[in-house]
């Protein structure tokens, strides 16, 4: 199958996840080292549930889900904008790097910035938020690098392995986002169109 590149960065691109890669998603969601940082560790994950999730994403305009691929086409994770509200211009973001050898190498940061750029400059969103558990400082650092700010927390709301943890809420506004690759692309396109008209 041809590689479809929806959003292209320096080291990664975001695109639809081919059906042949669904087994990778199932593997990640059944790996506690990966799933414990999401809300998925307590859920059952099979090929069937992953196929159903993919179909729901295709049919639901309030979800934009993409795979994270290295430049050579290796699927290493996934991320999405969900609960998209086009009237109030809000959405929630989620990300997972499922291939652990790609942790702590900047792939999560670059992918998040690509999706924020898309959300703010193509989907016309104004506020994107996320939730993260306080036992995941690596993810919090990534989000802060992307411009997210902590806006509150739900105390002792996650019970995991015999201990309670806080759920931290973070968000970012369009005016606070500085990685404007798509905005520059839009401006260039408008410039080219205006030249053609003259």
């Amino acid at each position: 199958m041809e590689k479809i590149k929806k959003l292209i960065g320096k080291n990664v691109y975001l695109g639809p996840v081919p059906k042949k890669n669904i087994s990778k998603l199932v593997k990640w969601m059944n790996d506690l080292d990966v799933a414990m940082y999401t809300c998925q560790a307590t859920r059952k994950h099979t090929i069937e549930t992953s196929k159903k999730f993919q179909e729901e994403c295709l049919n639901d305009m309030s979800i934009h889900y993409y795979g994270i691929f290295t430049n050579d086409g290796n699927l290493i994770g996934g991320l999405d904008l969900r609960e998209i509200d086009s009237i109030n211009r809000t959405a929630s973001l989620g990300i997972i790097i499922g291939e652990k050898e790609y942790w702590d190498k900047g792939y999560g940061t670059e992918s998040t910035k690509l999706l924020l750029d898309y959300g703010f400059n193509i989907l016309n969103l104004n506020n994107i938020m996320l939730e993260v558990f306080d036992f995941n400082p690596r993810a919090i650092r990534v989000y802060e690098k992307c411009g997210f700010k902590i806006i509150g927390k739900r105390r002792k709301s996650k019970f995991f392995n015999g201990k309670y943890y806080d759920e931290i809420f973070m968000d970012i506004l369009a005016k606070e986002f500085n990685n404007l690759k798509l905005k520059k692309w839009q401006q260039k396109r408008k410039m080219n169109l205006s030249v053609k008209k003259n």
Side-chain angles (χ1 to χ4, degrees):
M1 178 182 172
E2 183 186 353
K3 297 169 187 172
I4 300 171
K5 300 181 180 183
K6 177 86 171 183
L7 302 163
I8 303 169
K10 183 180 177 184
N11 299 300
V12 298
Y13 67 87
L14 309 183
V17 177
K19 288 182 180 178
K20 67 176 185 179
N21 289 125
I22 286 180
S23 59
K24 261 195 175 183
L25 306 181
V26 176
K27 181 189 86 167
W28 299 338
M29 292 297 93
N30 285 292
D31 182 342
L32 281 180
D33 287 340
V34 175
M36 68 180 282
Y37 297 112
T38 72
C39 296
Q40 303 299 317
T42 56
R43 299 179 184 169
K44 292 189 295 183
H45 292 278
T46 64
I47 295 289
E48 289 72 27
T49 59
S50 290
K51 282 181 181 175
K52 186 177 178 184
F53 170 72
Q54 260 198 333
E55 287 169 13
E56 286 171 1
C57 290
L58 288 172
N59 296 319
D60 188 344
M61 291 304 293
S62 70
I63 302 173
H64 283 247
Y65 175 78
Y66 299 105
I68 302 170
F69 299 84
T70 57
N71 286 335
D72 60 359
N74 183 28
L75 178 66
I76 63 168
L79 77 175
D80 63 36
L81 289 170
R82 62 181 62 213
E83 299 165 3
I84 295 171
D85 181 338
S86 57
I87 295 173
N88 296 302
R89 299 173 60 203
T90 60
S92 295
L93 182 144
I95 180 172
I96 183 171
I97 301 293
E99 298 297 317
K100 290 176 272 191
E101 62 266 33
Y102 291 91
W103 288 3
D104 299 315
K105 294 182 178 175
Y107 292 96
T109 302
E110 184 178 359
S111 301
T112 301
K113 286 181 177 179
L114 282 172
L115 195 64
L116 287 174
D117 202 355
Y118 178 70
F120 289 134
N121 296 308
I122 300 297
L123 300 183
N124 199 33
L125 297 171
N126 184 56
N127 177 296
I128 297 174
M129 73 166 290
L130 58 82
E131 300 160 29
V132 59
F133 302 121
D134 66 354
F135 59 75
N136 194 358
R138 181 176 65 245
I140 294 169
R141 285 194 299 273
V142 166
Y143 301 140
E144 288 174 336
K145 278 185 200 172
C146 295
F148 282 90
K149 294 177 173 58
I150 294 174
I151 56 172
K153 64 181 175 180
R154 189 175 186 181
R155 297 173 298 154
K156 310 297 179 193
S157 59
K158 175 69 173 176
F159 189 71
F160 185 77
N161 199 23
K163 187 177 174 184
Y164 281 102
Y165 297 92
D166 294 342
E167 187 175 15
I168 297 171
F169 298 92
M170 304 178 78
D171 77 353
I172 182 172
L173 300 177
K175 68 180 183 181
E176 297 167 339
F177 182 64
N178 295 318
N179 191 47
L180 303 173
K181 182 176 179 177
L182 287 173
K183 195 161 196 168
K184 289 174 186 171
W185 175 82
Q186 284 177 318
Q187 289 167 347
K188 185 179 175 184
R189 294 287 297 164
K190 285 178 188 173
M191 232 168 40
N192 288 344
L193 289 174
S194 64
V195 169
K196 286 177 184 175
K197 285 179 183 175
N198 297 332

